[in-house]
Amino acid sequence: MPVPAAALTAQFAAQALGLDQADYPPLEFTGITSDTRADVAGSLFVAIRGERFDGHQFIEAAVAGGAAGLLVEHGVTVSGSAVVFKVDDTLAAWRSIAGAWRQRFDLPVVAIGGSVGKTTTKNLLAAMLRARYRRVLATEGSRNGYLGLAMTLTALRPAHEAAVIEIGIDAPGAMAAHAELVRPDMALVTAIGVEHLDALGDVETVAAEECRLLDWTVAHGGTVFIHHNDDWLRPRLTQYANADCVRYGFGDDPGGAHVLRARIDDRQLILDGLGLEDAALPLPLPGRHNALNVLAAAAVARRLGLGADDMRAGLETFEPDAVRSRRVELAGGVTVLADYYNASPLSMRAAFATLAEFDARRRWLCLGDMLELGADELTWHRGLAEPVMALGVHGVLLYGRRMTVLADALREAGFTGELWSFEDKPALAAFLKARLAPGDAVLIKGSRGMAMEDVMARLAE
């Protein structure tokens, strides 16, 4: 059983870093930060060294802002009254502090991984839990990697009653390290698909690495949640036959006591299982894939003691992310599906299916490159031709050098709609704006690095 949460003191940090506590005063930090643009007064400032920046350049600003402590690398000269910790690697040191701090808290910690949908599921679950728990810690923004997880965990405070932690990976071994740091009581992997293949290589490796979160949780006696419709996750049902495992999905399940099924009916999710038979939940986001995210969140929330009324109350407070699966009605009668935080073959297909649900006079696709897909990136782009043809859209506008192969594939497949490729994003936006008419619907999607929100901004002018 973890000891009661203590203050985040200089002596605690020294202990976590393997330093002699006697060398440090009984000073309590207000928090830990690496950003001098925030209020650093009384905090422990960590000088993170990255590929494009070096936090050591901001030490003087941190001291001027009132930082009470400095975590720096050996060889750095520091002046002033702040307490100084010198280490080999400041990021690794912050993670050591974060891991030690996490273990001082006895509260439900849910970890969410997966190739797609993890941020939305995290936000949905956090909204649900806030209907029952007074204070819930949830990952902010994209703080789901090596640095972000350290930031998130050191934000834990005694007032928190639950935590929902998103974990992202982009290389082999990352999930194992993150799971050991977060030490979840419950774990969910939303789906397995193509992601970060430049480092992970292939989908088989993606599946193995993502599921290390589930493996760690099972090995430590926790509860795991398996989406039984996912071909890569379904085999885990057999592997975890003797574990505390909850299955969820749309049909196609052998049944059992720990299963939450659902169906979609008139923009509602109708639940079946876990004592929630025929309970209806609203769907705050468009698309079947987002209905699945609601179902995943409901499965976890139910295991944490929430009823359908709690879940509905929580979902009423849910605020959709401005860059993920957001339906926007523009002046002039045009509907936009804005979904440009990230893109992969799996999320592209899900977005196409969502656009197909829209009641529209004409449908358009405005797509930017999918990034970080490795050596076969062009093959993955060509592979979008089949679902685009099946969608039956009026026009396709493409941006980026990788998307040119999709244009070629569509021509080869006999696509008869409007098909345009652009190297200039402002030109694309202007062209699309001139083409759209009342009653049209358009999907704007691409990887984050393509900044497809620029097109949305032009349309919204």
Side-chain angles (χ1 to χ4, degrees):
M1 178 70 68
V3 299
L8 187 57
T9 64
Q11 291 180 334
F12 169 82
Q15 182 182 35
L17 297 172
L19 303 174
D20 189 346
Q21 297 180 66
D23 293 338
Y24 295 89
L27 170 68
E28 182 175 347
F29 299 119
T30 57
I32 304 181
T33 185
S34 59
D35 187 356
T36 55
R37 294 169 299 182
D39 182 8
V40 299
S43 70
L44 172 61
F45 173 76
V46 184
I48 297 294
R49 195 188 301 274
E51 294 181 0
R52 301 179 182 177
F53 61 89
D54 185 355
H56 293 85
Q57 297 176 352
F58 301 96
I59 289 175
E60 290 186 5
V63 172
L70 301 171
L71 181 55
V72 302
E73 294 182 0
H74 289 297
V76 176
T77 301
V78 179
S79 60
S81 60
V83 175
V84 179
F85 304 87
K86 290 194 174 184
V87 296
D88 293 331
D89 183 326
T90 51
L91 175 54
W94 193 349
R95 284 175 64 89
S96 294
I97 295 172
W101 185 245
R102 153 68 184 103
Q103 293 187 59
R104 288 183 172 269
F105 291 81
D106 182 17
L107 78 172
V109 175
V110 182
I112 299 177
S115 301
V116 294
K118 54 185 176 288
T119 299
T120 299
T121 302
K122 175 260 299 182
N123 291 337
L124 288 164
L125 177 58
M128 290 182 184
L129 294 183
R130 288 184 178 116
R132 171 68 67 90
Y133 295 97
R134 289 175 299 175
R135 191 172 175 189
V136 177
L137 176 70
T139 301
E140 294 183 2
S142 58
R143 293 181 175 179
N144 60 13
Y146 281 93
L147 175 57
L149 287 170
M151 292 178 172
T152 299
L153 291 177
T154 47
L156 274 169
R157 293 295 179 268
H160 286 120
E161 296 182 335
V164 185
I165 310 296
E166 177 184 335
I167 300 181
I169 62 170
D170 57 8
M175 183 60 82
H178 295 338
E180 184 65 30
L181 185 73
V182 175
R183 307 186 69 82
D185 305 288
M186 298 181 174
L188 164 74
V189 173
T190 55
I192 300 297
V194 174
E195 61 167 328
H196 301 296
L197 295 191
D198 51 344
L200 293 171
D202 52 43
V203 183
E204 289 80 1
T205 302
V206 171
E209 292 296 324
E210 288 283 3
C211 287
R212 293 189 190 282
L213 175 61
L214 305 176
D215 296 340
W216 190 98
T217 306
V218 167
H220 290 79
T223 304
V224 293
F225 299 81
I226 305 294
H227 171 209
H228 64 241
N229 301 127
D230 189 292
D231 292 339
W232 293 99
L233 293 172
R234 191 181 301 112
R236 299 284 166 163
L237 295 174
T238 301
Q239 182 176 341
Y240 302 144
N242 297 320
D244 187 3
C245 178
V246 177
R247 304 191 299 276
Y248 69 92
F250 295 121
D252 298 326
D253 185 85
H258 303 292
V259 183
L260 184 61
R261 308 174 193 84
R263 58 185 173 86
I264 301 172
D265 183 17
D266 191 26
R267 299 183 64 83
Q268 292 191 104
L269 191 68
I270 310 302
L271 304 178
D272 176 24
L274 301 183
L276 295 170
E277 286 71 17
D278 295 324
L281 299 180
L283 294 175
L285 295 168
R288 182 181 175 87
H289 63 298
N290 281 315
L292 181 64
N293 293 334
V294 174
L295 178 59
V300 180
R302 181 58 173 166
R303 200 55 183 272
L304 286 172
L306 274 70
D309 289 342
D310 296 319
M311 297 178 199
R312 283 189 289 266
L315 287 174
E316 288 178 359
T317 69
F318 174 78
E319 296 185 2
D321 193 314
V323 295
R324 289 184 174 90
S325 295
R326 182 170 59 108
R327 179 170 180 158
V328 182
E329 303 294 341
L330 297 180
V334 173
T335 301
V336 179
L337 177 57
D339 190 6
Y340 34 69
Y341 180 78
N342 215 333
S344 68
L346 185 60
S347 67
M348 280 286 191
R349 288 172 179 264
F352 295 166
T354 302
L355 183 67
E357 298 174 4
F358 288 12
D359 183 16
R361 185 176 70 94
R362 301 183 304 180
R363 295 182 180 86
W364 298 77
L365 296 177
C366 178
L367 308 178
D369 286 352
M370 300 181 292
L371 305 180
E372 300 183 32
L373 297 186
D376 294 328
E377 62 177 7
L378 298 184
T379 300
W380 291 113
H381 283 78
R382 285 185 62 88
L384 295 179
E386 180 183 354
V388 170
M389 293 292 291
L391 185 58
V393 295
H394 175 80
V396 179
L397 281 67
L398 303 172
Y399 172 63
R401 65 173 181 82
R402 298 166 184 83
M403 276 297 173
T404 59
V405 301
L406 174 56
D408 294 339
L410 288 171
R411 293 188 187 97
E412 294 168 7
F415 181 72
T416 58
E418 293 195 43
L419 179 59
W420 304 87
S421 294
F422 293 83
E423 296 181 0
D424 181 74
K425 197 165 23 177
L428 180 154
F431 186 90
L432 177 59
K433 188 171 185 177
R435 282 291 197 277
L436 293 174
D440 286 0
V442 56
L443 165 67
I444 304 176
K445 187 169 178 63
S447 281
R448 189 72 194 89
M450 302 306 291
M452 297 302 285
E453 64 270 23
D454 296 344
V455 178
M456 179 66 192
R458 180 65 181 266
L459 295 185
E461 287 178 353

